[in-house]
Amino acid sequence: MLSVKDLTKSVQVEDKTLVLLQPLNLTIAAGESIAIVGPSGSGKTTLLSILAGLDLPSSGQVYLKNQPLHQFNEEQRSQVRAQHVGFIFQQFLLINSLTALENVMLPAELANMPDAQARGEALLTQVGLADRIQHYPSQLSGGEQQRVAIARAFIAKPDVLFADEPTGNLDSKTGQYIIDLIFDLNVKEGTTLVLVTHDAKLAARCQRQVEMDSGALTEPMAEATLANTEENQPDSQTTTHHDLKSKTSVSQVG
Amino acid sequence: MSIVKQKASTMWFTQSLRLLHHELRRGELTIIFIAIVLAVATVFSLTGFSGQIKHAIVANSTNTIGADRVLRMSSEVDKSIIEKSQTLALQYAQKIETESMAFAGDNMLLSELDAVSDTYPLRGELKIKTSLTQIASIVANAPKPGTVWVEPSVLSRLDVKIGEVIEIGVAPLIIAGIVTDIPDRSYRAFIAGPTVILNIADMPKTELIQPGSRITYKYLFAGETEAIESFETWIKPQINESQRWYDAKAAQNRLSRILDTAEKFLSLASMLGIVLAAVAVAVASRRYGQRHQPNVSIFKALGASISHVRKLYCLHWALLSCLSIAAGLVTGYGLMLLGANAIASYLSLADAPLTFVPFLTAIFTGLLCAIAFAIHPIMTLVKSSPLNVIRGFSQEKVARFGWHQLPPLLALFLLLFIFSQDLVMSGALLVGGVVVSFILLLFGRGLMSAGRSVGTKAGKSWHLALANLKRRASENSVQLVSFTIAIMLLLLITVMKSSILSEWEQQFPDDTPNHYLINITQDQIQPLTTFVEENNIANQGFYHIYRGRLSAINGVKTVDKDDNDSETQNAEKTDSNKKQDSKKTKQQKSRQGMGRELGLTWRTELPDENEIIAGQWWQVSDEKPQVSIESNIAERLAVKLGDDLTFTLGSDEFTVPVTSIRQVNWQSRQLNFIMVFNQSVLEQFPTTSISAWSISDEDRDLVYGFLANFPTITVMDFAAIMAQLNSIIEQVTVAIQLILILVVLAGSLVLIAQVQASMEERERELAILRTLGAKGSLLRNSVLYEFVALGAIAGLMASVGMEIAVYILQSQVFNMSGSFHFQYWLVGIGAGAFFVGLIGMLSCWRLLKLSSVTLIRRTM
């Protein structure tokens, strides 16, 4: 479903190069749920943005459903996102001037799905917001807004769902409810889930956890179970881990 | 599949409409909407209104002169001209125009007198009513001898009724009706007084026509085109400097020019408001761009292509623009109707059609505001990266100077050019505007910094308020400049109306003339002299007056506006004629003339309030013809000592050398003359005299009673002239006040837009202060004081600006010593502080009403 090979990311800050991601390899199978954990600034979010096609790597390859995202321009990546990707963000990121239903319908409309409204209503009902579909985000609580975001993430039946600290802005009780919802829908829809978090409890609910530190990737629970369907992978290589010995801290080079 | 595709192709359209609907409903676009409406409505009403006025005045072009061609002159026409017109079977009518007193019992009124022949008018209709209750007017020619028709206000001002008698000069005439429509109405009557129409046969009975009287003779001709043209070819070579031959088009052009100038002035003045509205669009659209940045990033993260986003926002903006422009047109139309209603008693605009011009100009202005001032934020918005959903949203710093400022500057220039139709003027206004703004900004910044230092010693609220004001100094610049200008204009009008004119009147010594007597015949001088001597009435003596024209300087003919008019009406001339004419003009290098008839006089002694600055005043015995010229005019016409000036008096022409140049104190209210001759030049011409008297309130009845014995003398009361001046100022004030309202509205929009743009920042600050335990009253006061201080600074700068402007007016225009008007400073500062404080508080009200918990939750 999703694989990266020798991926690096560095940015130029004035005349110096800041390395955000060390060369790394990772393969995620279809239907798998994976948690990327690590401390703040370890590169989790950078990795997620490249995996989702929001950003480009400095070098290396990224394939999403066999499509070489690293070779695609912004427009092509948009298309891939519209067809295959769903998002849930820590900040919910709903469009304030649209109602809950219109927010949910958005990805379906962008993916040219014919029954956006009906699907939107059904999903909002599933997340328990049947009576709030005409409400604006500002009229909803944080938990409710995140439920709208979840409905929006699932509406276009994405192949991969990226969730970036989805409970980071919620109290523990609401957070728990949201997590249950995400995993329920994940199972129900058979979606691949890539979750970025530093909540160990939340990470533990994923089939596999990988850890990032200083831009390098490690997989502490290497025994993670895989639903190993190889059909979507660009090569038959199994999950490759970065050599811990070669790991260096995020450093300034050049 | 094709349905899906079709859906996809229109999805951006649906989403765009949805966005617009929600944004409008939530009031997010109100500032931009109102700003565009304001600009469009102003331009539309102004252009439409002036266009209609112009049309109403000049539309029926043949009617505006009451004939096909008119010969206008200051003396009676040579009989041969009339005879020639009769041989060509032309219709002919005559009109004599002058100003005179109309008497009824003890009441007298300065009025515009039209004496017309029985055939008048030849074109258009003269309409009258024979009773006040009569609904429909009837078409008429001239009143029967012995009767007059008057404008309605004559009845009320002289307290007379139809059927009663008024005296014009020495002739008693019966009022037979009221005039409702004069085809060749003189617009001078707006200033001179209401019109009285009498039969030309009665004119000698009035004894108003005396040598040197200010009389205009008009000879009207109409007929077959061929006959008229052949008459024109015959008469033109005979027209001299003191005569004017014109057709409707020339009259129309002359009027159009005046109206165009007025329109240009008003348009350019309202440009300030339009520019401010555009600035409000710019500020609001920048906030709009920043507010929508997350939306675009989310759209893109969810898979929307750039073209999808571009189309969505372009349509969104286009729809908003169209909606605002349409609302602006409707508002503008309403304003135009209000304007038409307001002037309905002077001029009916009911039949004046509305052309496309105001529509096109207003729509273009609206589009310019909506596009040029918003293109940069919208383009930046469309480029927002989807990566922001992960990285977070930061407000991108916009470079202060850059290419993005080119479209607004170009748009400003274009707007100025549309209204001024003058490239140089547009450039000058743009540069001038930037310089004035820069100076105001410099002072404003200085005051804000000074306020910051003072603030550290003031209470907590003031401290916070002034610190905030200084920190937002650059954001506050626009509203500071706009409020300063608005308050300054407001103060200037108030001071002008209530102070300057009265101060000017008060500065004259007690014996300053306050009445001018015109049209005094030679045999009346003796009784008048005896009267003033017996009654001790201060006066300036009697001046002989002759009406003449400066026709050449050193043998080179002078050119003035009347000549330009005749050039316009000569448009039909053949090409060869034109070439010859232009050759002739080039050879002659014609010189600038006075452009009007002058009052000429002779003196043996140098008059008071006159000082010779070059040459010498003549000896009484010196009979060699010579002239003394006023210094400003000498400078304007580039006339030096020894130059020969040629004058035309009626059909006579004479040339005299300049032997002295005089400086004249025009502010003295004494009788002053541009050209003063020695006796030998003018004494052979027939004349009347004028005089200036100082009549005290106690003497008034006595003097008026005495002057009633001389009904041919026109008496002009200076108080009446001042009242007239005040009423003109009043009318100008109304126009300026309308523009001020526009400026204040647009300035408020900029302020509100600016406050909205800083809303997130303000929320954060308030949340921090709340968390640190600040009281609600401290927060409220700090916000209030920030705006109060901003308004007070604008008021202070406006007061200083007003004082400078008043000083210039006092010293240059009124020749008075300068004085301060501190009471108005308080008004300026107070009004600025109150108004800006109020608008600021209203804009922040929602923020200040949020509870601490909500505030902290929203921002932390």
Side-chain angles (χ1 to χ4, degrees), chain B residues 550 552-556 591 625 627 639-647 654-658:
Chain B
L550 172 67
I553 301 170
N554 290 333
V556 180
R591 296 186 58 155
V627 63
V639 169
K640 298 180 298 296
L641 281 180
D643 281 355
D644 285 328
L645 304 185
T646 306
F647 293 87
F654 59 87
T655 301
V656 284
V658 176

Side-chain angles (χ1 to χ4, degrees), chain B residues 23 29 284-292 313 316-317 378:
Chain B
E23 291 265 300
L29 302 171
S285 60
R286 208 167 73 199
R287 171 178 147 80
Y288 173 90
Q290 281 164 355
R291 205 166 47 78
H292 277 255
Y313 274 94
H316 177 58
W317 202 257
I378 300 289

